[in-house]
Amino acid sequence: MITVNEAEKLILANAGDFGAEIVLFEESLGRVLAENIKTDRDLPPFNRVSMDGIAVSYKAIENGINMFQIKATQAAGDIPIDIYEPGECIEIMTGAALPASLDTVIRYEDIEISDDQAKLLISDIKRGQNIHIQGADKKQGELILTPGQLITPAVISLIASVGETELRVKRIPRVVILSSGDELVEVAATPSPYQIRRSNNYMVRAVLTQLGLEAGMLHIPDDPKVIKQQLQLCLQNYDVILLSGGISMGKFDYIPQALKELQVRQIFHKVQQRPGKPFWFGRRDTGVVVFAFPGNPVATFMCMQRYFIPWLNTSLNVSSKQAVYAVLDQDFTFTPQLQYFLQVKLNFSEQGQLLATPIEGNGSGDFANLVDTDAFMELPLEKNEFKKGDVYKVWQFNQI
């Protein structure tokens, strides 16, 4: 049995590279950029007016002029209109290009307009105010995005602004979710008194959907021959197999033997943790990786958060995020010599501290308890007593 940190290192050491593909930029949300993006011109591309009002020459204000004749009105997108008399101004709108003969914008709130005359109501005016200077954000040819950038709505806006209609992004792995066990029936079925409905596979698929991955889904019975046949097909058609159940020490847990016969090398089996102690991980020489999670729902869910998502981010070369830590909000005791993933509810204190309140359920089969929690707090196996005020890493699954 290995430690959590050892399991993490072995999993990340077996991260894959699935290449890249070209997609339309408007279809790239949630994907990972695989190329450099540069500006095709300055941002902003001209001296951009940032307030509705009038544009004047500051020299006129220095010379004591406080009443301006409005020569014309210029909207955003119009050709700039210059002035040639110091007492003139242009009524101008937000987003318009500032005429070259003008250098200061005064808000509507600070002027009074009557009979095409604009009178200043304030004296505190600064040269260049209310102007977004050309190139202030980025210069032409400047690198603005690099490989590993997760494409968010803000990134799409930036990409659109530089005229990139197609993007090279990391190709996502082909994933299949396998559940096993004769005690599991379909969601729409009426289970017998000793059966339960399948839910782990839908939970795993929901996690993948949040990550922008589509996945196949298959249920296999507790039959060694069928298990081996189905696993063989999956190993031929997918990059990642996510298994839930059938990998413990039970009489009907046939999956580890089937994987061995199909030449999937076991990298580890069993991790010094709770939940999820029977976790199995392996890899075939073809590059296919297999995450075989324990069948208990909380164990499956925790292992997805703690191991699969970091593996996926490493495989896609996603820029690493800073780990999140929280303050334990009450004393807690856990005696087994295992790394414990405590279900917690997160809140912010009035001082801005991220607080974690333990919400204990009834073990790794109590998936209903997940609804009332936000994260797993990872408690080190070297300790048994965890005091209020201690700080530990948290793995968030419901963002606060």
Short mmCIF file of all heavy atoms in Angstrom, two decimals, residues 299-358:
data_model
loop_
_atom_site.label_atom_id
_atom_site.label_comp_id
_atom_site.label_asym_id
_atom_site.label_seq_id
_atom_site.Cartn_x
_atom_site.Cartn_y
_atom_site.Cartn_z
N ALA A 299 -15.96 7.51 -2.39
CA ALA A 299 -14.59 7.14 -2.78
C ALA A 299 -14.35 7.44 -4.25
O ALA A 299 -13.31 8.00 -4.64
CB ALA A 299 -14.34 5.67 -2.48
N THR A 300 -15.30 7.04 -5.09
CA THR A 300 -15.17 7.33 -6.53
C THR A 300 -15.07 8.82 -6.77
O THR A 300 -14.20 9.30 -7.51
CB THR A 300 -16.38 6.75 -7.30
OG1 THR A 300 -16.34 5.33 -7.24
CG2 THR A 300 -16.36 7.19 -8.74
N PHE A 301 -15.95 9.59 -6.13
CA PHE A 301 -15.98 11.03 -6.34
C PHE A 301 -14.70 11.69 -5.86
O PHE A 301 -14.12 12.56 -6.53
CB PHE A 301 -17.19 11.62 -5.61
CG PHE A 301 -17.42 13.07 -5.92
CD1 PHE A 301 -17.78 13.50 -7.18
CD2 PHE A 301 -17.30 14.03 -4.92
CE1 PHE A 301 -18.00 14.83 -7.46
CE2 PHE A 301 -17.52 15.37 -5.19
CZ PHE A 301 -17.87 15.78 -6.46
N MET A 302 -14.22 11.28 -4.68
CA MET A 302 -12.99 11.86 -4.16
C MET A 302 -11.81 11.57 -5.07
O MET A 302 -11.01 12.44 -5.37
CB MET A 302 -12.72 11.33 -2.74
CG MET A 302 -11.52 11.98 -2.05
SD MET A 302 -9.89 11.37 -2.58
CE MET A 302 -9.90 9.74 -1.84
N CYS A 303 -11.71 10.32 -5.54
CA CYS A 303 -10.58 9.95 -6.41
C CYS A 303 -10.62 10.70 -7.74
O CYS A 303 -9.57 11.02 -8.30
CB CYS A 303 -10.58 8.45 -6.65
SG CYS A 303 -10.09 7.48 -5.20
N MET A 304 -11.81 11.00 -8.23
CA MET A 304 -11.91 11.82 -9.43
C MET A 304 -11.31 13.20 -9.19
O MET A 304 -10.54 13.72 -10.01
CB MET A 304 -13.38 11.96 -9.85
CG MET A 304 -13.96 10.76 -10.56
SD MET A 304 -13.27 10.51 -12.23
CE MET A 304 -13.93 11.93 -13.10
N GLN A 305 -11.64 13.79 -8.04
CA GLN A 305 -11.15 15.14 -7.73
C GLN A 305 -9.66 15.14 -7.43
O GLN A 305 -8.92 16.02 -7.92
CB GLN A 305 -11.92 15.70 -6.51
CG GLN A 305 -13.43 15.73 -6.64
CD GLN A 305 -13.93 16.65 -7.72
OE1 GLN A 305 -13.34 17.70 -7.99
NE2 GLN A 305 -15.04 16.28 -8.36
N ARG A 306 -9.21 14.17 -6.67
CA ARG A 306 -7.83 14.18 -6.16
C ARG A 306 -6.83 13.65 -7.16
O ARG A 306 -5.65 14.09 -7.17
CB ARG A 306 -7.76 13.34 -4.87
CG ARG A 306 -6.37 13.30 -4.21
CD ARG A 306 -5.93 14.67 -3.80
NE ARG A 306 -4.61 14.68 -3.19
CZ ARG A 306 -3.46 14.76 -3.86
NH1 ARG A 306 -3.48 14.81 -5.18
NH2 ARG A 306 -2.32 14.79 -3.21
N TYR A 307 -7.25 12.74 -8.05
CA TYR A 307 -6.28 12.08 -8.93
C TYR A 307 -6.56 12.28 -10.42
O TYR A 307 -5.65 12.62 -11.19
CB TYR A 307 -6.23 10.58 -8.62
CG TYR A 307 -5.80 10.26 -7.22
CD1 TYR A 307 -6.72 9.77 -6.28
CD2 TYR A 307 -4.50 10.46 -6.80
CE1 TYR A 307 -6.34 9.48 -4.99
CE2 TYR A 307 -4.11 10.18 -5.50
CZ TYR A 307 -5.03 9.69 -4.59
OH TYR A 307 -4.63 9.42 -3.31
N PHE A 308 -7.81 12.07 -10.84
CA PHE A 308 -8.06 12.14 -12.27
C PHE A 308 -7.93 13.57 -12.81
O PHE A 308 -7.29 13.78 -13.84
CB PHE A 308 -9.45 11.60 -12.63
CG PHE A 308 -9.77 11.80 -14.09
CD1 PHE A 308 -9.20 10.96 -15.05
CD2 PHE A 308 -10.58 12.83 -14.52
CE1 PHE A 308 -9.44 11.15 -16.41
CE2 PHE A 308 -10.84 13.03 -15.87
CZ PHE A 308 -10.27 12.18 -16.82
N ILE A 309 -8.52 14.54 -12.12
CA ILE A 309 -8.46 15.92 -12.63
C ILE A 309 -7.02 16.43 -12.71
O ILE A 309 -6.62 17.00 -13.73
CB ILE A 309 -9.36 16.85 -11.80
CG1 ILE A 309 -10.83 16.46 -12.01
CG2 ILE A 309 -9.15 18.30 -12.18
CD1 ILE A 309 -11.82 17.26 -11.19
N PRO A 310 -6.17 16.23 -11.69
CA PRO A 310 -4.76 16.63 -11.84
C PRO A 310 -4.07 15.89 -13.00
O PRO A 310 -3.24 16.48 -13.70
CB PRO A 310 -4.13 16.27 -10.49
CG PRO A 310 -5.27 16.36 -9.53
CD PRO A 310 -6.46 15.85 -10.29
N TRP A 311 -4.39 14.60 -13.19
CA TRP A 311 -3.80 13.86 -14.32
C TRP A 311 -4.24 14.49 -15.64
O TRP A 311 -3.40 14.68 -16.54
CB TRP A 311 -4.27 12.40 -14.28
CG TRP A 311 -3.84 11.60 -15.49
CD1 TRP A 311 -2.68 10.91 -15.65
CD2 TRP A 311 -4.57 11.45 -16.72
NE1 TRP A 311 -2.63 10.33 -16.91
CE2 TRP A 311 -3.78 10.65 -17.58
CE3 TRP A 311 -5.80 11.91 -17.16
CZ2 TRP A 311 -4.19 10.32 -18.87
CZ3 TRP A 311 -6.21 11.59 -18.45
CH2 TRP A 311 -5.41 10.79 -19.28
N LEU A 312 -5.50 14.84 -15.76
CA LEU A 312 -6.01 15.45 -16.99
C LEU A 312 -5.34 16.79 -17.24
O LEU A 312 -4.89 17.07 -18.37
CB LEU A 312 -7.52 15.63 -16.89
CG LEU A 312 -8.19 16.29 -18.10
CD1 LEU A 312 -8.10 15.39 -19.33
CD2 LEU A 312 -9.64 16.63 -17.79
N ASN A 313 -5.23 17.63 -16.22
CA ASN A 313 -4.60 18.94 -16.39
C ASN A 313 -3.15 18.82 -16.80
O ASN A 313 -2.66 19.58 -17.64
CB ASN A 313 -4.71 19.75 -15.09
CG ASN A 313 -6.13 20.22 -14.82
OD1 ASN A 313 -6.94 20.32 -15.75
ND2 ASN A 313 -6.44 20.51 -13.57
N THR A 314 -2.45 17.83 -16.23
CA THR A 314 -1.05 17.61 -16.62
C THR A 314 -0.98 17.11 -18.06
O THR A 314 -0.11 17.56 -18.83
CB THR A 314 -0.40 16.59 -15.67
OG1 THR A 314 -0.45 17.09 -14.33
CG2 THR A 314 1.06 16.35 -16.04
N SER A 315 -1.88 16.22 -18.45
CA SER A 315 -1.89 15.69 -19.81
C SER A 315 -2.16 16.78 -20.84
O SER A 315 -1.60 16.78 -21.95
CB SER A 315 -2.94 14.59 -19.95
OG SER A 315 -2.63 13.48 -19.14
N LEU A 316 -3.01 17.73 -20.48
CA LEU A 316 -3.38 18.81 -21.40
C LEU A 316 -2.46 20.03 -21.26
O LEU A 316 -2.65 21.03 -21.95
CB LEU A 316 -4.82 19.24 -21.16
CG LEU A 316 -5.89 18.16 -21.42
CD1 LEU A 316 -7.28 18.71 -21.12
CD2 LEU A 316 -5.82 17.64 -22.85
N ASN A 317 -1.49 19.92 -20.38
CA ASN A 317 -0.53 21.01 -20.16
C ASN A 317 -1.22 22.28 -19.68
O ASN A 317 -0.84 23.39 -20.05
CB ASN A 317 0.27 21.30 -21.43
CG ASN A 317 1.48 22.18 -21.19
OD1 ASN A 317 2.09 22.14 -20.12
ND2 ASN A 317 1.84 23.00 -22.16
N VAL A 318 -2.26 22.11 -18.86
CA VAL A 318 -2.95 23.27 -18.31
C VAL A 318 -2.03 23.96 -17.31
O VAL A 318 -1.39 23.32 -16.49
CB VAL A 318 -4.25 22.84 -17.60
CG1 VAL A 318 -4.93 24.03 -16.93
CG2 VAL A 318 -5.20 22.19 -18.59
N SER A 319 -1.98 25.28 -17.41
CA SER A 319 -1.17 26.04 -16.46
C SER A 319 -1.62 25.73 -15.04
O SER A 319 -2.82 25.79 -14.73
CB SER A 319 -1.32 27.54 -16.73
OG SER A 319 -0.89 27.85 -18.05
N SER A 320 -0.67 25.37 -14.19
CA SER A 320 -1.01 24.92 -12.84
C SER A 320 -1.61 26.04 -12.01
O SER A 320 -1.23 27.20 -12.12
CB SER A 320 0.25 24.38 -12.14
OG SER A 320 1.24 25.39 -12.08
N LYS A 321 -2.59 25.67 -11.20
CA LYS A 321 -3.24 26.62 -10.30
C LYS A 321 -2.66 26.47 -8.90
O LYS A 321 -2.22 25.39 -8.51
CB LYS A 321 -4.75 26.38 -10.27
CG LYS A 321 -5.45 26.62 -11.60
CD LYS A 321 -6.95 26.37 -11.45
CE LYS A 321 -7.66 26.61 -12.77
NZ LYS A 321 -9.13 26.36 -12.65
N GLN A 322 -2.68 27.55 -8.17
CA GLN A 322 -2.19 27.51 -6.80
C GLN A 322 -3.13 26.66 -5.95
O GLN A 322 -4.36 26.75 -6.08
CB GLN A 322 -2.10 28.93 -6.23
CG GLN A 322 -1.44 29.00 -4.86
CD GLN A 322 -1.24 30.44 -4.42
OE1 GLN A 322 -1.61 31.36 -5.11
NE2 GLN A 322 -0.65 30.62 -3.25
N ALA A 323 -2.55 25.84 -5.09
CA ALA A 323 -3.35 25.01 -4.19
C ALA A 323 -4.17 25.89 -3.26
O ALA A 323 -3.77 27.01 -2.92
CB ALA A 323 -2.45 24.08 -3.40
N VAL A 324 -5.33 25.38 -2.85
CA VAL A 324 -6.23 26.12 -1.96
C VAL A 324 -6.14 25.50 -0.56
O VAL A 324 -6.21 24.27 -0.41
CB VAL A 324 -7.68 26.07 -2.47
CG1 VAL A 324 -8.62 26.79 -1.50
CG2 VAL A 324 -7.76 26.70 -3.86
N TYR A 325 -6.00 26.36 0.44
CA TYR A 325 -5.93 25.91 1.83
C TYR A 325 -7.05 26.58 2.63
O TYR A 325 -7.48 27.69 2.31
CB TYR A 325 -4.58 26.25 2.45
CG TYR A 325 -3.43 25.45 1.87
CD1 TYR A 325 -2.82 25.85 0.68
CD2 TYR A 325 -2.98 24.30 2.50
CE1 TYR A 325 -1.78 25.11 0.14
CE2 TYR A 325 -1.94 23.56 1.98
CZ TYR A 325 -1.34 23.97 0.79
OH TYR A 325 -0.31 23.23 0.25
N ALA A 326 -7.52 25.88 3.64
CA ALA A 326 -8.58 26.42 4.49
C ALA A 326 -8.25 26.16 5.95
O ALA A 326 -7.43 25.29 6.29
CB ALA A 326 -9.93 25.81 4.13
N VAL A 327 -8.90 26.90 6.81
CA VAL A 327 -8.71 26.79 8.26
C VAL A 327 -9.79 25.87 8.82
O VAL A 327 -10.99 26.08 8.59
CB VAL A 327 -8.81 28.17 8.93
CG1 VAL A 327 -8.65 28.04 10.44
CG2 VAL A 327 -7.77 29.12 8.34
N LEU A 328 -9.38 24.83 9.52
CA LEU A 328 -10.33 23.92 10.16
C LEU A 328 -11.11 24.68 11.22
O LEU A 328 -10.53 25.35 12.07
CB LEU A 328 -9.59 22.73 10.78
CG LEU A 328 -10.43 21.57 11.31
CD1 LEU A 328 -11.27 20.95 10.20
CD2 LEU A 328 -9.53 20.51 11.94
N ASP A 329 -12.45 24.58 11.15
CA ASP A 329 -13.30 25.42 11.99
C ASP A 329 -13.68 24.77 13.32
O ASP A 329 -14.31 25.41 14.17
CB ASP A 329 -14.58 25.77 11.20
CG ASP A 329 -15.27 26.99 11.77
OD1 ASP A 329 -14.60 27.83 12.40
OD2 ASP A 329 -16.50 27.09 11.60
N GLN A 330 -13.32 23.50 13.51
CA GLN A 330 -13.57 22.85 14.80
C GLN A 330 -12.65 21.65 14.96
O GLN A 330 -12.09 21.16 13.97
CB GLN A 330 -15.04 22.41 14.91
CG GLN A 330 -15.48 21.37 13.90
CD GLN A 330 -16.98 21.12 13.94
OE1 GLN A 330 -17.78 22.06 13.93
NE2 GLN A 330 -17.37 19.86 13.97
N ASP A 331 -12.44 21.21 16.16
CA ASP A 331 -11.57 20.06 16.42
C ASP A 331 -12.12 18.82 15.73
O ASP A 331 -13.35 18.64 15.60
CB ASP A 331 -11.46 19.80 17.92
CG ASP A 331 -10.71 20.90 18.66
OD1 ASP A 331 -10.08 21.74 17.98
OD2 ASP A 331 -10.77 20.91 19.90
N PHE A 332 -11.18 17.94 15.31
CA PHE A 332 -11.59 16.70 14.65
C PHE A 332 -10.57 15.62 14.98
O PHE A 332 -9.37 15.89 15.05
CB PHE A 332 -11.68 16.91 13.14
CG PHE A 332 -12.17 15.71 12.39
CD1 PHE A 332 -13.52 15.39 12.37
CD2 PHE A 332 -11.28 14.87 11.72
CE1 PHE A 332 -13.98 14.27 11.71
CE2 PHE A 332 -11.72 13.76 11.05
CZ PHE A 332 -13.08 13.45 11.04
N THR A 333 -11.06 14.40 15.15
CA THR A 333 -10.19 13.27 15.46
C THR A 333 -10.41 12.16 14.45
O THR A 333 -11.56 11.83 14.12
CB THR A 333 -10.49 12.73 16.88
OG1 THR A 333 -10.27 13.77 17.83
CG2 THR A 333 -9.56 11.56 17.21
N PHE A 334 -9.29 11.57 13.99
CA PHE A 334 -9.36 10.42 13.07
C PHE A 334 -8.19 9.51 13.42
O PHE A 334 -7.02 9.86 13.24
CB PHE A 334 -9.28 10.89 11.62
CG PHE A 334 -9.38 9.77 10.62
CD1 PHE A 334 -10.58 9.12 10.39
CD2 PHE A 334 -8.26 9.36 9.89
CE1 PHE A 334 -10.66 8.08 9.47
CE2 PHE A 334 -8.33 8.32 8.97
CZ PHE A 334 -9.55 7.69 8.76
N THR A 335 -8.48 8.31 13.94
CA THR A 335 -7.42 7.47 14.49
C THR A 335 -6.72 6.53 13.51
O THR A 335 -5.53 6.24 13.69
CB THR A 335 -7.97 6.65 15.68
OG1 THR A 335 -9.13 5.94 15.27
CG2 THR A 335 -8.32 7.57 16.83
N PRO A 336 -7.38 5.97 12.47
CA PRO A 336 -6.63 5.05 11.59
C PRO A 336 -5.43 5.74 10.93
O PRO A 336 -5.44 6.94 10.68
CB PRO A 336 -7.68 4.65 10.54
CG PRO A 336 -8.99 4.87 11.19
CD PRO A 336 -8.79 6.07 12.07
N GLN A 337 -4.38 4.94 10.67
CA GLN A 337 -3.18 5.49 10.06
C GLN A 337 -3.38 5.62 8.55
O GLN A 337 -2.75 4.93 7.75
CB GLN A 337 -1.98 4.58 10.38
CG GLN A 337 -0.62 5.25 10.19
CD GLN A 337 -0.37 6.34 11.23
OE1 GLN A 337 -1.02 6.40 12.26
NE2 GLN A 337 0.58 7.21 10.95
N LEU A 338 -4.29 6.52 8.20
CA LEU A 338 -4.64 6.75 6.80
C LEU A 338 -4.76 8.25 6.55
O LEU A 338 -5.13 9.01 7.45
CB LEU A 338 -5.99 6.08 6.46
CG LEU A 338 -6.08 4.56 6.60
CD1 LEU A 338 -7.54 4.11 6.47
CD2 LEU A 338 -5.22 3.86 5.54
N GLN A 339 -4.45 8.66 5.33
CA GLN A 339 -4.68 10.04 4.94
C GLN A 339 -6.20 10.20 4.75
O GLN A 339 -6.80 9.50 3.94
CB GLN A 339 -3.94 10.37 3.63
CG GLN A 339 -3.83 11.85 3.34
CD GLN A 339 -2.38 12.27 3.16
OE1 GLN A 339 -1.48 11.71 3.82
NE2 GLN A 339 -2.13 13.22 2.30
N TYR A 340 -6.79 11.12 5.50
CA TYR A 340 -8.25 11.20 5.51
C TYR A 340 -8.72 12.41 4.72
O TYR A 340 -8.21 13.52 4.89
CB TYR A 340 -8.75 11.29 6.95
CG TYR A 340 -10.25 11.18 7.07
CD1 TYR A 340 -10.95 10.14 6.48
CD2 TYR A 340 -10.98 12.15 7.76
CE1 TYR A 340 -12.33 10.03 6.60
CE2 TYR A 340 -12.36 12.05 7.89
CZ TYR A 340 -13.02 10.99 7.29
OH TYR A 340 -14.39 10.89 7.41
N PHE A 341 -9.71 12.17 3.85
CA PHE A 341 -10.30 13.24 3.06
C PHE A 341 -11.66 13.57 3.70
O PHE A 341 -12.66 12.92 3.45
CB PHE A 341 -10.44 12.82 1.61
CG PHE A 341 -9.11 12.74 0.91
CD1 PHE A 341 -8.34 11.59 0.99
CD2 PHE A 341 -8.62 13.82 0.19
CE1 PHE A 341 -7.10 11.52 0.36
CE2 PHE A 341 -7.39 13.77 -0.44
CZ PHE A 341 -6.62 12.62 -0.36
N LEU A 342 -11.62 14.58 4.53
CA LEU A 342 -12.76 14.98 5.34
C LEU A 342 -13.70 15.85 4.50
O LEU A 342 -13.27 16.85 3.89
CB LEU A 342 -12.27 15.75 6.56
CG LEU A 342 -13.32 16.39 7.47
CD1 LEU A 342 -14.15 15.31 8.16
CD2 LEU A 342 -12.62 17.29 8.50
N GLN A 343 -14.98 15.49 4.49
CA GLN A 343 -15.96 16.33 3.80
C GLN A 343 -16.23 17.58 4.63
O GLN A 343 -16.49 17.47 5.83
CB GLN A 343 -17.25 15.56 3.56
CG GLN A 343 -17.09 14.41 2.58
CD GLN A 343 -18.40 13.68 2.38
OE1 GLN A 343 -19.36 14.24 1.90
NE2 GLN A 343 -18.43 12.39 2.74
N VAL A 344 -16.15 18.75 3.98
CA VAL A 344 -16.30 20.00 4.71
C VAL A 344 -17.20 20.97 3.95
O VAL A 344 -17.36 20.88 2.73
CB VAL A 344 -14.93 20.69 4.95
CG1 VAL A 344 -14.05 19.84 5.86
CG2 VAL A 344 -14.22 20.99 3.63
N LYS A 345 -17.78 21.88 4.70
CA LYS A 345 -18.52 23.01 4.16
C LYS A 345 -17.64 24.24 4.29
O LYS A 345 -17.09 24.51 5.36
CB LYS A 345 -19.82 23.22 4.95
CG LYS A 345 -20.72 24.30 4.40
CD LYS A 345 -21.41 23.85 3.14
CE LYS A 345 -22.41 24.89 2.66
NZ LYS A 345 -23.03 24.48 1.36
N LEU A 346 -17.47 24.97 3.19
CA LEU A 346 -16.58 26.13 3.18
C LEU A 346 -17.36 27.43 3.34
O LEU A 346 -18.43 27.60 2.75
CB LEU A 346 -15.78 26.17 1.88
CG LEU A 346 -14.84 24.99 1.60
CD1 LEU A 346 -14.19 25.14 0.24
CD2 LEU A 346 -13.78 24.86 2.69
N ASN A 347 -16.79 28.33 4.11
CA ASN A 347 -17.35 29.67 4.28
C ASN A 347 -16.21 30.64 4.55
O ASN A 347 -15.13 30.23 4.99
CB ASN A 347 -18.35 29.72 5.45
CG ASN A 347 -19.64 29.01 5.13
OD1 ASN A 347 -20.45 29.51 4.34
ND2 ASN A 347 -19.84 27.84 5.74
N PHE A 348 -16.47 31.91 4.31
CA PHE A 348 -15.49 32.93 4.62
C PHE A 348 -15.84 33.60 5.95
O PHE A 348 -17.01 33.91 6.21
CB PHE A 348 -15.41 34.00 3.53
CG PHE A 348 -14.70 33.54 2.29
CD1 PHE A 348 -15.41 33.21 1.15
CD2 PHE A 348 -13.31 33.44 2.27
CE1 PHE A 348 -14.75 32.79 0.00
CE2 PHE A 348 -12.65 33.03 1.13
CZ PHE A 348 -13.36 32.69 -0.01
N SER A 349 -14.83 33.81 6.77
CA SER A 349 -15.04 34.56 8.00
C SER A 349 -15.11 36.05 7.67
O SER A 349 -14.82 36.47 6.55
CB SER A 349 -13.87 34.32 8.97
OG SER A 349 -12.69 34.94 8.48
N GLU A 350 -15.48 36.86 8.66
CA GLU A 350 -15.53 38.31 8.45
C GLU A 350 -14.16 38.88 8.17
O GLU A 350 -14.03 39.97 7.61
CB GLU A 350 -16.15 38.98 9.68
CG GLU A 350 -17.63 38.66 9.88
CD GLU A 350 -18.23 39.36 11.09
OE1 GLU A 350 -17.46 40.06 11.79
OE2 GLU A 350 -19.43 39.20 11.32
N GLN A 351 -13.11 38.15 8.56
CA GLN A 351 -11.74 38.59 8.30
C GLN A 351 -11.20 38.09 6.96
O GLN A 351 -10.05 38.32 6.62
CB GLN A 351 -10.81 38.12 9.43
CG GLN A 351 -11.07 38.78 10.78
CD GLN A 351 -12.34 38.28 11.44
OE1 GLN A 351 -12.65 37.09 11.36
NE2 GLN A 351 -13.06 39.19 12.09
N GLY A 352 -12.06 37.38 6.21
CA GLY A 352 -11.65 36.91 4.89
C GLY A 352 -10.97 35.56 4.89
O GLY A 352 -10.47 35.12 3.86
N GLN A 353 -10.93 34.87 6.03
CA GLN A 353 -10.34 33.54 6.09
C GLN A 353 -11.30 32.51 5.49
O GLN A 353 -12.51 32.59 5.71
CB GLN A 353 -10.03 33.14 7.52
CG GLN A 353 -8.76 33.72 8.10
CD GLN A 353 -8.48 33.13 9.47
OE1 GLN A 353 -9.38 33.01 10.31
NE2 GLN A 353 -7.23 32.77 9.73
N LEU A 354 -10.75 31.55 4.75
CA LEU A 354 -11.55 30.45 4.24
C LEU A 354 -11.65 29.39 5.33
O LEU A 354 -10.64 28.80 5.72
CB LEU A 354 -10.92 29.88 2.98
CG LEU A 354 -11.71 28.77 2.26
CD1 LEU A 354 -13.09 29.27 1.83
CD2 LEU A 354 -10.93 28.24 1.06
N LEU A 355 -12.85 29.16 5.82
CA LEU A 355 -13.08 28.24 6.93
C LEU A 355 -13.70 26.94 6.42
O LEU A 355 -14.55 26.96 5.53
CB LEU A 355 -14.01 28.87 7.97
CG LEU A 355 -13.56 30.20 8.59
CD1 LEU A 355 -14.62 30.70 9.55
CD2 LEU A 355 -12.22 30.05 9.29
N ALA A 356 -13.29 25.82 7.01
CA ALA A 356 -13.81 24.51 6.65
C ALA A 356 -14.47 23.87 7.86
O ALA A 356 -13.81 23.59 8.86
CB ALA A 356 -12.68 23.62 6.13
N THR A 357 -15.77 23.66 7.75
CA THR A 357 -16.52 23.02 8.83
C THR A 357 -16.79 21.57 8.48
O THR A 357 -17.39 21.28 7.44
CB THR A 357 -17.86 23.74 9.06
OG1 THR A 357 -17.61 25.12 9.34
CG2 THR A 357 -18.63 23.11 10.21
N PRO A 358 -16.34 20.61 9.31
CA PRO A 358 -16.58 19.19 9.00
C PRO A 358 -18.07 18.86 8.94
O PRO A 358 -18.83 19.27 9.80
CB PRO A 358 -15.89 18.46 10.16
CG PRO A 358 -14.90 19.44 10.70
CD PRO A 358 -15.52 20.78 10.52
#
